Amino acid sequence: MACRFLEKREYKIVERNYLKKWGEIDIVAQNREGLHFIEVKSLAVKPYFAKASQGKDAYMPEANMRLWKKERMARAIKTYFLDRKLRDDRDFQIDIAAVFLDFERKKARVRLLENIIL
């Protein structure tokens, strides 16, 4: 779902599921603005299209980016740059693709949070 969402917005998927013992990158994508390292967070929701503005019980998948996950992702990004022989001064950003799944209606919604800070 997240990859289709990104492709519709003119991102080119470079790689998926880059995995090392010390960290993982769900999606590496490229667009006009540069390289994007994207963490995918998903949740089955009821009602469909839950939003943070719907009250204190609304779930925000991006809230699950705990310190340990951020540290692991940072290490994986450093390794990715070394493995792919990318210049270390290359512009990149870290994004979160929050995927809300409604299994009853067989629908999904993706919300992209761009340029989060580790």
Side-chain angles (χ1 to χ4, degrees):
M1 290 298 310
C3 286
R4 281 190 289 189
F5 174 86
L6 293 166
E7 289 171 336
K8 287 180 183 177
R9 282 152 185 82
E10 299 183 7
Y11 285 78
K12 178 184 179 228
I13 305 303
V14 176
E15 192 159 346
R16 294 172 62 175
N17 302 317
Y18 177 80
L19 180 62
K20 295 293 180 185
K21 287 190 285 189
W22 48 88
E24 174 188 13
I25 303 166
D26 293 329
I27 300 171
V28 180
Q30 176 80 40
N31 72 359
R32 294 184 308 281
E33 298 166 14
L35 196 60
H36 296 255
F37 295 99
I38 302 166
E39 174 70 12
V40 178
K41 295 291 184 185
S42 61
L43 175 74
V45 294
K46 231 184 206 182
Y48 183 56
F49 290 167
K51 293 183 181 178
S53 63
Q54 290 179 333
K56 64 180 180 165
D57 295 327
Y59 177 75
M60 297 183 305
E62 61 274 15
N64 277 340
M65 280 294 285
R66 306 282 190 246
L67 179 60
W68 66 270
K69 177 60 180 171
K70 292 175 186 178
E71 290 171 349
R72 289 176 57 88
M73 190 171 187
R75 285 183 289 203
I77 290 169
K78 289 176 188 174
T79 305
Y80 185 86
F81 269 78
L82 292 170
D83 282 352
R84 302 300 182 261
K85 296 177 179 30
L86 300 176
R87 292 186 357 242
D88 58 359
D89 64 344
R90 181 173 179 165
D91 288 336
F92 73 92
Q93 70 183 49
I94 299 165
D95 305 330
I96 296 177
V99 181
F100 298 89
L101 303 167
D102 181 343
F103 289 108
E104 289 178 11
R105 295 185 181 117
K106 297 184 176 144
K107 295 188 180 206
R109 187 185 87 151
V110 178
R111 183 177 69 211
L112 186 63
L113 294 113
E114 298 182 90
N115 207 18
I116 67 162
I117 297 172
L118 286 181

